[in-house]
Amino acid sequence: MPELSLLIEPSSALPAERVDALAAGLADDLRSVRGLQVAHAQSPTREHGKSQQAWELGMLIVGGVFSATTMRALTQIAIAYADRAKARSITLRSGGNELVITGNTRVDQRLVDQLAHLMAPSSAESAVGAAPPAAQGSHREISGS
């Protein structure tokens, strides 16, 4: 199943608890989209303790069915959340590709096509229509327009 990571980048330095609360709020919003599974990203801890894993602050992992409708809803929620939470941006990553959105990003077919390509570069055309080619490891910042 394809997965997408979302990283909230606050507009200013915030305490860990606030960054965690921002991620939890975005996760709650994303869970309203049918077919998506949302969880906090985890990584191995570097410290001794009971838990073998720790949450990655401000990062979520989203999996599930990524249809054109789901991707449009996901981007609309992320954009609205970035605007509402006054986050600098939300970075969407899949493999070596990423797409950066802000509260000013406009949801249009071009953005949905770029997200489809980000999710499945080899099958983006079948998921949403003709998507622009992108190189592995590319970085696109989408804001305004």
Side-chain angles (χ1 to χ4, degrees):
M1 171 175 14
E3 287 186 341
L4 179 67
S5 63
L6 280 76
L7 176 63
I8 299 171
E9 298 180 33
S11 56
S12 59
L14 296 175
E17 296 81 24
R18 180 66 182 132
V19 174
D20 186 44
L22 288 173
L26 179 57
D28 289 343
D29 289 355
L30 291 170
R31 286 186 185 106
S32 69
V33 178
R34 187 177 185 163
L36 291 183
Q37 292 91 39
V38 182
H40 287 271
Q42 296 187 342
S43 66
T45 61
R46 299 185 206 292
E47 302 171 10
H48 295 90
K50 292 181 182 179
S51 175
Q52 293 298 314
Q53 294 185 324
W55 285 8
E56 290 283 339
L57 287 177
M59 185 179 286
L60 302 171
I61 300 297
V62 179
V65 179
F66 290 102
S67 67
T69 302
T70 303
M71 288 186 285
R72 183 175 291 274
L74 187 149
T75 55
Q76 287 173 329
I77 289 169
I79 291 165
Y81 194 80
D83 187 46
R84 187 171 72 239
K86 305 295 184 230
R88 179 176 44 221
S89 64
I90 297 178
T91 302
L92 301 113
R93 290 187 186 133
S94 181
N97 295 321
E98 66 181 35
L99 182 66
V100 178
I101 60 174
T102 69
N104 296 326
T105 303
R106 183 175 47 148
V107 179
D108 57 13
Q109 189 58 45
R110 180 175 152 253
L111 179 64
V112 175
D113 289 346
Q114 288 176 332
L115 184 56
H117 190 70
L118 174 77
M119 289 304 304
S122 62
S123 62
E125 291 183 21
S126 62
V128 184
Q136 272 294 57
S138 65
H139 170 84
R140 290 193 178 100
E141 183 161 344
I142 308 295
S143 61
S145 2

